[in-house]
Amino acid sequence: MTHAIRPSSGTNRPRSRSATEYGGAARGFAKRVTFAGIIWVAFASLCDAGKLTVIVVDRSGRAVAEVVATAAAVPPKASAPAAEVATARMDQHDLAFVPRVLVVAIGTKVEFPNSDSVSHQVYSFSPAKRFQLPLYKGALHPAVTFDKAGLVVLGCNIHDQMVGYIYVTDAPFFGKTDSQGALHLTTVPAGDYLVTLWSPFVADDPATLTRTVHVGERDPASTRVQLTRDLRARPEPRPRRTDWEY
Amino acid sequence: MRLCGAMVLVSAALWGPLAGAQDRLSVTGEVDVRWVYATGVPSYLDGGLGTLRFDPDHDGPRLGYALLASRLRITDILTLHVVADAYGDHDRNFVDLSEAFIEARPFPTHSIRWNARVGAFFMPVSLENRGPGWTDVYSITPSALNTWLGEEFRTIGAEVEARWLGASQGYLGDVALVGAVYGWNDPAGVLLAERGFALTDRPSTLFGGLGMPPTTFYHQVGRNPGYYSGLTWRHHDRLEIRALRYDNRADPSAETATAFAWRTRFSTVGARLEPTAAWTFIVQYLDGDTAVGPNSVIAEQFKMTYRTVFALTSFEWNRERFTARFDDFRTHQLNGFFGPPSNDLGHAWTLGWMHDLGHGWQLAAEWLRVTSRFPPRVEIGESAGLIESQTQVAVRYRFHLGV
């Protein structure tokens, strides 16, 4: 991928060692350590530049995980073509798509292995990608290329309760919020960005789920979005009842 | 058994070219053996008018059931389903079929997905009989309502379902409309009139019938095809509502040498709520009527109304499942009195416990008590009012084979 999403490096503050640890004889050494610390702090600040953090919380201020966030430059900038085709995986496990929500860049090849003991028939009739994977288990079918931006809703023709989502984006920076409700995008060049949020469980009007954020040359940028409507019920992992629904 | 033989031949013919394909043949087998302690009067399965499957003369170690449910995927969209079962209740055929049908389910190309079934199958109405062969996943014995639907009804015909897949429109759920046209179910209603409601895990099979002598239900007596139409709404994976209108449109004056046509109609509506993965609540209600005899002599035509409702709550925790259910049922005869009225009035309490032993093994225990009043029992020397109970402990083994 051209723009890999890496975990946040966090704030790397050097640990200043007290000169008293080494006794009075170590005063000169301590000065050198302090000087090195100042240099390191400056370096860390430079590293923070290009970092964009998106935080999503619900009406009560609790973190909301698994929300897709994309960041696109405003005005749009031409991005370099991808050096190699990215691949991603949408597994099927315990009659559910894993992950339930996958966000990929345009052009990504997505594999659909079936790790269940029963067969699945995966399909999508979403305008962004129509495809059908006839009855299979394991990794029978080749990866599917998602070449158009948009939301692709996945289903299984045998198990209607299986629903998955692939969010195909042309934005250069993207990811999903973690269990803390946060997404840390690194290597974001300075500039203005339109941050867009999406989740099948967020009921807020999509028009209210965008923010314009300025990423400075030196300072990390962040935006915190508090949802105004209750989340839709999120399907829980259900025990297998060996259903044979009629 | 000719149909049974034909199914075996079709399966064998399809098996060769499909061998080695991806999970084309899927077979689920389950065996249930149990220890039973019962109080009350002889069961209707043994010629009495008791409302339970077992009675004091037929308790102790028993076969609950043995079933083989197979699915053969003929093509990606065509599947043959066959369920063969054995119960050991003095049945005419020790092994019989309870379902055999072909299902067509094309890949959806837009938000409406079509599904069709042709053959013999259960109607899509129960919220508790979610297992193969009308088995209940919450306890051993289904409610009076679903016991009756498993006993006297099988769709022998064609069914079409149109399901709106909400996920594609941003809605976490779906809505389905279903309709069916069928025949060969004209005697449905006779058991309810002769016995009242019962609580058993003993659905009828296609060729064997129920009781002693066996009452059979799958005949075409008149010429009219029956229908049902229904609605299913699944909301957010937490709530499912099902409603269905059934009318076999039988001509109540029609009869053959072996069976009468019973005009049986009912409406049923039910809801299953699963607010969390652990809790399940189900309520289902059914209301209808049935009639037999010439329309020209209304006073002599047997006519009866009936209604039943149950409420179930179930809690699943790790390997345990605990279930409690209350049933209420009644029938009321309106016409055609030639003896005590077929006015059944009763209620039942069921407590169930299931323990998953792992590797396909399951332990199931159930206590069931039925209090009922049915005047025709007097004619066979029993009291009209009865309290019957049944305690069962079952060991089950389920296996799955896929080729």
Side-chain angles (χ1 to χ4, degrees):
Chain A
M1 283 176 69
T2 316
H3 305 282
I5 306 301
R6 288 191 292 272
S8 165
S9 57
T11 306
N12 296 313
R13 296 190 181 280
R15 182 185 298 171
S16 298
R17 288 185 289 186
S18 167
T20 57
E21 291 177 31
Y22 303 93
R27 186 180 301 272
F29 175 75
K31 281 183 178 175
R32 288 196 297 277
V33 169
T34 305
F35 177 73
I38 291 168
I39 296 297
W40 178 240
V41 167
F43 178 72
S45 297
L46 282 173
C47 286
D48 277 344
K51 181 174 150 189
L52 171 59
T53 298
V54 180
I55 296 171
V56 183
V57 296
D58 67 10
R59 292 175 65 180
S60 307
R62 288 173 300 210
V64 181
E66 240 187 340
V67 176
V68 171
T70 62
V74 181
K77 294 176 184 172
S79 57
E84 60 184 59
V85 176
T87 59
R89 170 182 287 229
M90 177 63 93
D91 205 343
Q92 296 141 67
H93 191 68
D94 283 345
L95 302 187
F97 287 104
V98 181
R100 189 157 20 219
V101 180
L102 180 67
V103 52
V104 298
I106 286 181
T108 301
K109 284 180 176 292
V110 178
E111 298 167 343
F112 290 88
N114 174 6
S115 302
D116 270 331
S117 59
V118 297
S119 294
H120 295 306
Q121 284 183 325
V122 178
Y123 68 83
S124 161
F125 51 82
S126 301
K129 187 67 184 181
R130 292 175 178 270
F131 70 98
Q132 300 169 351
L133 302 180
L135 194 72
Y136 74 107
K137 282 198 290 191
L140 182 71
H141 299 295
V144 178
T145 302
F146 289 80
D147 46 13
K148 192 189 292 183
L151 178 64
V152 178
V153 181
L154 306 172
C156 170
N157 199 36
I158 300 172
H159 308 99
D160 282 336
Q161 73 273 28
M162 287 177 63
V163 177
Y165 304 89
I166 297 183
Y167 190 97
V168 186
T169 181
D170 53 5
F173 306 100
F174 55 81
K176 290 191 299 182
T177 56
D178 58 18
S179 59
Q180 307 300 311
L183 170 66
H184 303 286
L185 297 171
T186 57
T187 68
V188 181
D192 291 327
Y193 289 88
L194 180 66
V195 174
T196 303
L197 304 179
W198 178 84
S199 164
F201 311 113
V202 170
D204 288 38
D205 181 356
T208 67
L209 295 175
T210 58
R211 297 287 187 277
T212 301
V213 181
H214 177 74
V215 178
E217 292 287 349
R218 291 175 178 274
D219 302 321
S222 70
T223 181
R224 182 177 185 273
V225 178
Q226 182 155 23
L227 305 175
T228 58
R229 298 181 63 178
D230 289 334
L231 291 172
R232 296 189 179 113
R234 190 183 293 250
E236 291 182 63
R238 303 271 176 192
R240 290 283 303 279
R241 291 203 190 85
T242 57
D243 281 12
W244 187 288
E245 293 276 14
Y246 292 96
Chain B
M1 295 299 289
R2 277 176 296 180
L3 179 59
C4 180
M7 289 296 177
V8 171
L9 286 176
V10 169
S11 301
L14 290 165
W15 169 243
L18 294 174
Q22 276 264 323
D23 200 26
R24 290 290 182 190
L25 178 64
S26 161
V27 178
T28 297
E30 189 165 333
V31 178
D32 171 312
V33 291
R34 60 183 74 163
W35 174 85
V36 183
Y37 174 73
T39 68
V41 300
S43 166
Y44 71 96
L45 288 168
D46 297 303
L49 283 175
T51 64
L52 298 174
R53 180 174 169 190
F54 302 106
D55 56 47
D57 293 332
H58 299 85
D59 60 1
R62 304 284 303 188
L63 171 66
Y65 56 81
L67 65 85
L68 274 180
S70 56
R71 285 190 277 214
L72 178 68
R73 303 206 184 276
I74 301 166
T75 71
D76 277 321
I77 64 168
L78 277 183
T79 307
L80 170 67
H81 301 253
V82 178
V83 180
D85 27 33
Y87 294 94
D89 292 328
H90 318 296
D91 293 303
R92 184 188 293 171
N93 306 315
F94 182 72
V95 178
D96 207 331
L97 298 181
S98 59
E99 289 189 292
F101 62 95
I102 287 179
E103 180 178 31
R105 182 182 283 219
F107 273 111
T109 54
H110 48 78
S111 56
I112 302 293
R113 204 268 315 285
W114 295 91
N115 190 76
R117 300 194 287 176
V118 176
F121 45 89
F122 291 104
M123 68 181 93
V125 64
S126 177
L127 290 162
E128 57 177 353
N129 296 74
R130 302 172 74 164
W134 205 247
T135 48
D136 183 352
V137 298
Y138 299 102
S139 192
I140 294 175
T141 306
S143 60
L145 189 160
N146 286 310
T147 294
W148 182 53
L149 296 183
E151 286 178 328
E152 294 208 66
F153 299 91
R154 212 60 41 89
T155 307
I156 303 177
E159 176 197 87
V160 176
E161 178 196 86
R163 183 174 292 267
W164 175 71
L165 301 163
S168 62
Q169 309 289 322
Y171 174 67
L172 294 174
D174 43 52
V175 179
L177 288 171
V178 66
V181 178
Y182 53 85
W184 298 279
N185 206 181
D186 288 344
V190 58
L191 189 58
L192 191 63
E194 292 183 349
R195 179 208 59 191
F197 281 103
L199 284 97
T200 79
D201 62 327
R202 185 52 233 273
S204 61
T205 51
L206 289 173
F207 306 100
L210 280 180
M212 187 183 288
T215 305
T216 55
F217 312 100
Y218 306 116
H219 307 286
Q220 185 67 26
V221 179
R223 293 183 174 182
N224 301 338
Y227 81 90
Y228 61 73
S229 56
L231 171 78
T232 299
W233 173 36
R234 195 169 57 86
H235 175 69
H236 281 200
D237 212 21
R238 308 269 168 114
L239 175 68
E240 181 163 337
I241 290 177
R242 290 189 183 189
L244 188 121
R245 174 66 182 169
Y246 177 97
D247 185 348
N248 71 356
R249 297 182 66 247
D251 173 5
S253 60
E255 61 181 280
T256 65
T258 55
F260 292 93
W262 291 68
R263 174 75 185 272
T264 297
R265 306 176 290 190
F266 63 78
S267 300
T268 178
V269 60
R272 178 175 60 218
L273 177 66
E274 295 173 307
T276 66
W279 285 97
T280 301
F281 302 95
I282 301 176
V283 176
Q284 194 173 357
Y285 175 77
L286 181 146
D287 189 320
D289 60 24
T290 187
V292 68
N295 289 318
S296 54
V297 191
I298 291 299
E300 293 185 5
Q301 184 185 49
F302 178 94
K303 191 166 186 180
M304 184 180 82
T305 61
Y306 48 85
R307 66 177 191 268
T308 179
V309 64
F310 76 88
L312 174 151
T313 181
S314 186
F315 177 72
E316 189 167 37
W317 179 67
N318 290 336
R319 292 173 174 264
E320 320 299 328
R321 172 177 285 284
F322 303 95
T323 298
R325 187 184 60 222
F326 176 73
D327 282 86
D328 183 88
F329 50 85
R330 63 193 62 199
T331 67
H332 180 62
Q333 186 178 344
L334 303 173
N335 271 340
F337 296 98
F338 295 101
S342 290
N343 292 347
D344 185 26
L345 178 66
H347 65 270
W349 287 98
T350 307
L351 296 176
W353 169 61
M354 289 176 160
H355 175 72
D356 181 11
L357 295 163
H359 303 291
W361 291 89
Q362 187 188 52
L363 194 62
E366 181 188 84
W367 173 83
L368 170 59
R369 193 180 75 164
V370 184
T371 304
S372 65
R373 181 170 190 80
F374 189 56
R377 289 185 189 131
V378 175
E379 291 195 313
I380 59 170
E382 292 169 357
S383 167
L386 278 180
I387 296 178
E388 301 164 281
S389 70
Q390 185 174 264
T391 303
Q392 306 183 80
V393 179
V395 177
R396 296 169 166 176
Y397 177 68
R398 175 178 286 200
F399 61 90
H400 179 81
L401 300 172
V403 181

